[in-house]
Amino acid sequence: MKKIALFVGEVSAEYQSDVTVGIIGEVRRQGYSLHIFNNFGSYSPNVFHGYGEKSIIQIPDLPSYDGVILAGDTFNVEGMYEELTQMLLENTDCPVVCLRREDPRFPSISAENYAPVCNMVEHFIQVHGFRNICFMSGKREMQDAQLRLKAYRDTMEKHGLPVTEHMVFYGNYWKNMGDEALDWFLEEGKPLPQVIVCANDYMAMSICNGLQKRGIRVPEQVCVSGFDDVEEASVSIPALTSIRVNYRDMGRKAVYMLENLWQGREAHEGTDRVEIVSKFRGSCGCAESIDTEAVTKLFHRKEQLQNALYHGSSMHVDLENTDTFRSLMNVGRAYISAIRFERIYVCMCDEQERQQEKAAMMSQYTEHMILRNVMNMKEDIPHEERFPRGELLPAAYRREGEILYISPLHERNDCFGYVVLTTDSPDELRYQFQTWIASVSMSLAKLQMYEENQALNEMRRQYGRDELTGIPNRREMERVLQKQYDHLRQSGESFFLVSVDMDGLKYINDHFGHLEGDEALKALARILAQEQGETGVAARTGGDEFQICMATQSQGIVESRIAAIRKQILQFNAGSGKPYELSASIGYARCDQCVPLLSCLQQADKNMYQEKSGKKHARKPE
């Protein structure tokens, strides 16, 4: 039986929900298994939260899948698409299909962006006789926005209509720039445009709202159109003229494409373009009728949202009184019961295994997981069953042909585990599930803090310090990096990150004992703290891993600090009398407005490992 992995961000959002339902329908028809790996994106301003959301790609055993579908434009985490696709290229031989994102390495399915916008602009020119037509585009870097803008410009040129600078505004595909766009279109007392064509519905609705606030009537004075035909479009007043894309059809075609590739056919054979239909409504003066079915659905959504808000706030209060994992699960099941589901499996990292391995700057999942709890609509049942992470669940709970939703449990970049959910009503996940996951994750972080810190004073002492070496620990380094990165975004002043890895710790531990290994770590920590400089903060971020954040824009200062560290290590070896040599590999990278923090961290590590690869274990010559 075929097994497919779908990677999608914010599965409860409208486009993602429609695509997923389309995939599920075809998968069920064929009897395949489908594992939906879902995260909720970087909704927190803390840069490390994105690491936790991105960790979803570390959960599955990628080589075990027969096909992969990527909703790549829904990954609202920097670097997630690039990292995932690289993992797929390196670890799998199965076909990969991309949705709404063209990638020359993989076949893709995209909705037509050019022709529908041409037709919409033609409609306003030929049917309504308009000439002064403005365009609100999406983000400059997005391919669909570029194609939609080109369609507008080409159609205007075809009819000999000029497009001036203030007839095009670049938005962000969301509802918060309508007023700014109108200020741009109407600058210097220019006459009202006859039409504002928008590259998606959310921007179009923001334009309608902005016009109404200014006392400008739609469509009597200005017509407006959008793209995507989201649920609100048909029930807004006036109803929004838009372009409907059948995204469920796109999901079905993604499965057809995998089947073509499995059978050695051309990927696109029989997968015609996704159906697109223009919907002419009240915002262009073509129709005033309101879709009663859409109104009913919208009220259902409103009830779901109200329930999510109510349950979310109540759950937060009840979770404050939980101080054990069991009490947390009891509260969790009580508040998830508003969602129709079959089972929820709570899988946690194997903490014994984690402590045996060296900690990393970004805590990831352990190779084995522990199934700690199984919930159904009536009860939650405690478990304690260990299994390999790549299998997602213990063998007794795996079924062929099952649809599984997998979401990470984390607080910032600390990965506690993941949730596996089964349901026959994926539409029910739209609002409450994300809130439930976030609340459970925050409570797990609180429980972990309670377990690690038995008293408040001890907690304060330990929180930012490494117990062995006395220098700052990973948590404190994350705080320093976040603060420095926030300063960078405000001031534009760059800084440097230095990655340091002690060489040969395993050799020292194996030949001279762990106590001697601890002494070597403390010696290196003292050297780093001495040579961090006035603007630097050195921290132990893992077993034999250290980092230094240097708040300077001078590469020369950084290199001089690194040279001083190397000199101190040589002096230590000359006078220590130890039966081994202290050694460290060092790399650094600059973080500025062109190099995001996550990329800087990766580059510093990469530079450090390049140096490390040419070294031997730390030992004295025979």
Side-chain angles (χ1 to χ4, degrees), residues 523-587:
L524 181 56
R526 286 194 298 271
I527 292 172
L528 298 180
Q530 290 170 8
E531 299 300 339
Q532 65 188 17
E534 294 181 0
T535 63
V537 176
R540 184 187 179 207
T541 56
D544 56 4
E545 299 170 356
F546 300 79
Q547 289 188 335
I548 308 174
C549 177
M550 293 191 178
T552 176
Q553 301 188 71
S554 170
Q555 182 173 338
I557 289 177
V558 175
E559 291 178 346
S560 68
R561 292 289 93 207
I562 292 174
I565 291 169
R566 298 188 195 281
K567 183 178 179 181
Q568 285 265 30
I569 291 173
L570 291 175
Q571 291 176 353
F572 173 87
N573 288 332
S576 70
K578 298 288 186 182
Y580 56 84
E581 288 188 344
L582 191 64
S583 177
S585 298
I586 306 175

Side-chain angles (χ1 to χ4, degrees), residues 400-420:
E400 289 189 341
E402 193 163 45
I403 313 296
L404 303 179
Y405 290 82
I406 301 96
S407 298
L409 291 170
H410 70 97
E411 196 275 327
R412 294 185 301 174
N413 57 312
D414 286 328
C415 300
F416 307 127
Y418 54 83
V419 166
V420 179

Side-chain angles (χ1 to χ4, degrees), residues 13-16 18 100 148 173-175 199-206 225-236 238-247 277 279 281 291 294-295 297-298 301 430-431:
E14 189 168 337
Y15 154 68
Q16 292 92 311
D18 281 351
R100 291 206 317 186
R148 294 173 191 182
Y173 277 156
W174 194 232
K175 303 175 182 178
N200 84 338
D201 289 344
Y202 294 124
M203 295 191 300
M205 287 186 279
S206 75
S225 73
F227 194 115
D228 289 331
D229 198 30
V230 298
E231 288 178 351
E232 299 99 310
S234 59
V235 296
S236 59
L240 182 66
T241 290
S242 188
I243 297 165
R244 175 177 294 176
V245 180
N246 189 336
Y247 287 121
V277 180
K279 295 290 182 178
R281 301 192 181 104
D291 187 336
V295 172
K297 186 182 290 186
L298 189 66
R301 295 286 185 228
R430 176 157 292 192
Y431 298 113

Side-chain angles (χ1 to χ4, degrees), residues 477 480-481 484 495-498 532 535-538 547-551:
M477 177 54 73
V480 169
L481 289 176
Q484 195 62 45
F495 64 96
F496 284 81
L497 183 67
V498 181
Q532 65 188 17
T535 63
V537 176
Q547 289 188 335
I548 308 174
C549 177
M550 293 191 178

Side-chain angles (χ1 to χ4, degrees), residues 408-466:
L409 291 170
H410 70 97
E411 196 275 327
R412 294 185 301 174
N413 57 312
D414 286 328
C415 300
F416 307 127
Y418 54 83
V419 166
V420 179
L421 178 144
T422 65
T423 179
D424 283 327
S425 306
D427 199 45
E428 293 286 321
L429 303 180
R430 176 157 292 192
Y431 298 113
Q432 191 169 341
F433 188 54
Q434 179 176 354
T435 303
W436 188 87
I437 287 283
S439 297
V440 170
S441 295
M442 291 174 61
S443 294
L444 286 170
K446 182 186 73 173
L447 291 180
Q448 184 184 68
M449 182 179 67
Y450 285 168
E451 291 171 1
E452 292 177 350
N453 305 280
Q454 298 300 316
L456 181 61
N457 289 336
E458 185 66 12
M459 178 189 71
R460 288 174 176 169
R461 189 186 70 81
Q462 291 181 1
Y463 188 80
R465 290 280 144 185
D466 177 61

Side-chain angles (χ1 to χ4, degrees), residues 502-523:
M502 181 176 169
D503 299 322
L505 178 60
K506 184 177 186 303
Y507 175 83
I508 298 172
N509 286 335
D510 290 347
H511 290 77
F512 309 108
H514 285 269
L515 291 177
E516 195 61 48
D518 288 349
E519 290 301 315
L521 286 168
K522 289 191 281 188

